[in-house]
Amino acid sequence: MSNSIFRFSGKLYLIPTTLGESKISEVLPDSISTIIEKIDHYIVENEKTARRSIKQVLPEKQQSFLKLNTLNKHTDISILSTFLEPCQDGIDVGLLSEAGCPGVADPGAEIVKLAHEMGIQVVPLVGPSSILLAMMGSGMNGQSFTFNGYLPIDKKERKQELKTLERISSEKNQAQLFIETPYRNNQLVEDLVQVLNPATKLCIACDLTLATEYIITKSVLEWSKTKVDLHKRPTMFIIQKDF
């Protein structure tokens, strides 16, 4: 596709990072270091962790030349367009995720949306996605699935949401994915085995790409007889109820 359809020659590269303390060579292709080597302008969620990620991928890069803009829940959306000004001058910008792929369950989606509106070419790069990795390893319906993000914090509302997702899963033959703040994982498991139908399948995908990774799918009844400790461990949950 020719760059002539874009208003500016500078591109927005969507740069994935690791999902934890895993070896760079095992989860990121060499092309990531090639892109990071040539880019000095970045949009990041946290400057400290972004600099650490860049250093892990390319230790020899001079960090004193880096220009980092922070995008998180505290960022004034009225200044977002200024983050992409280098692209208007023909300079590439990198959107760096905190973990995994930018724009997916990530505030970077706002910048990607803006780039499209401004006529800036968006270039997504290959990297680990906890959503896709969990689905790949779950054995559930990879033809139809929904990522629901975080469930309600209120216990009553959370249980009702679980029942709703289970019903939708059965009606549509659709896998339902969701996550929880890691320190509340164990409580969520308790809710799952209490609320869901014993025959409903539950996949727990924990510590993806890390040395302690495991992805296990079995019925809710089987999980009720299994002791598992997910405290403070990044985990993806998937449920699917048969027709």
Side-chain angles (χ1 to χ4, degrees):
M1 187 177 291
S2 171
N3 283 340
S4 61
I5 67 172
F6 299 105
R7 292 179 59 197
F8 307 106
S9 58
K11 302 175 184 177
L12 175 66
Y13 284 90
L14 312 187
I15 306 175
T17 59
T18 62
L19 296 174
E21 298 300 323
S22 52
K23 292 183 180 179
I24 296 294
S25 60
E26 293 181 356
V27 294
L28 296 176
D30 292 340
S31 58
I32 299 295
S33 60
T34 302
I35 295 299
I36 287 179
E37 184 176 23
K38 74 172 187 175
I39 293 180
D40 289 329
H41 292 76
Y42 291 90
I43 302 167
V44 304
E45 194 170 347
N46 180 283
E47 181 172 340
K48 182 178 179 180
T49 55
R51 288 184 180 276
R52 184 168 66 241
S53 295
I54 292 171
K55 186 175 182 62
Q56 286 177 328
V57 175
L58 201 67
E60 63 272 23
K61 187 172 182 67
Q62 292 292 321
Q63 297 226 358
S64 59
F65 296 119
L66 296 181
K67 300 175 180 63
L68 275 60
N69 284 306
T70 303
L71 172 60
N72 55 39
K73 62 182 180 181
H74 303 295
T75 305
D76 184 350
I77 60 173
S78 67
I79 67 170
L80 293 187
S81 61
T82 65
F83 295 177
L84 293 172
E85 285 180 352
C87 294
Q88 297 173 305
D89 297 325
I91 299 171
D92 295 331
V93 173
L95 174 62
L96 198 66
S97 177
E98 274 287 279
C101 298
V104 180
D106 175 85
E110 286 297 323
I111 280 291
V112 177
K113 175 185 176 182
L114 185 58
H116 286 296
E117 293 173 354
M118 295 174 64
I120 295 169
Q121 184 175 357
V122 175
V123 185
L125 302 178
V126 174
S129 164
S130 57
I131 296 171
L132 290 180
L133 290 171
M135 271 307 308
M136 288 165 62
S138 70
M140 297 185 185
N141 191 358
Q143 296 290 340
S144 179
F145 59 89
T146 297
F147 175 64
N148 298 279
Y150 291 94
L151 300 184
I153 295 177
D154 180 79
K155 192 175 184 68
K156 183 178 180 180
E157 292 179 4
R158 183 167 65 247
K159 288 184 175 182
Q160 184 58 51
E161 180 69 7
L162 287 173
K163 291 179 181 178
T164 299
L165 294 179
E166 184 180 46
R167 175 180 55 78
I168 293 172
S169 175
S170 178
E171 293 174 350
K172 296 184 176 182
N173 186 28
Q174 186 180 74
Q176 300 291 325
L177 298 85
F178 44 89
I179 53 178
E180 180 55 281
T181 302
Y183 67 82
R184 288 201 291 259
N185 279 339
N186 288 340
Q187 180 58 56
L188 177 56
V189 174
E190 291 181 16
D191 291 342
L192 288 166
V193 299
Q194 290 175 7
V195 172
L196 301 180
N197 186 292
T200 294
K201 288 292 190 292
L202 167 62
C203 175
I204 295 179
C206 180
D207 292 344
L208 293 167
T209 74
L210 307 183
T212 53
E213 172 189 278
Y214 69 80
I215 306 173
I216 300 175
T217 297
K218 49 189 177 182
S219 70
V220 168
L221 177 61
E222 291 173 309
W223 277 115
S224 69
K225 301 174 183 178
T226 305
K227 185 172 179 60
V228 59
D229 185 8
L230 306 175
H231 187 58
K232 293 187 176 180
R233 301 172 69 183
T235 304
M236 185 73 61
F237 300 89
I238 314 176
I239 62 172
Q240 186 168 338
K241 183 180 181 183
D242 295 332
F243 293 94

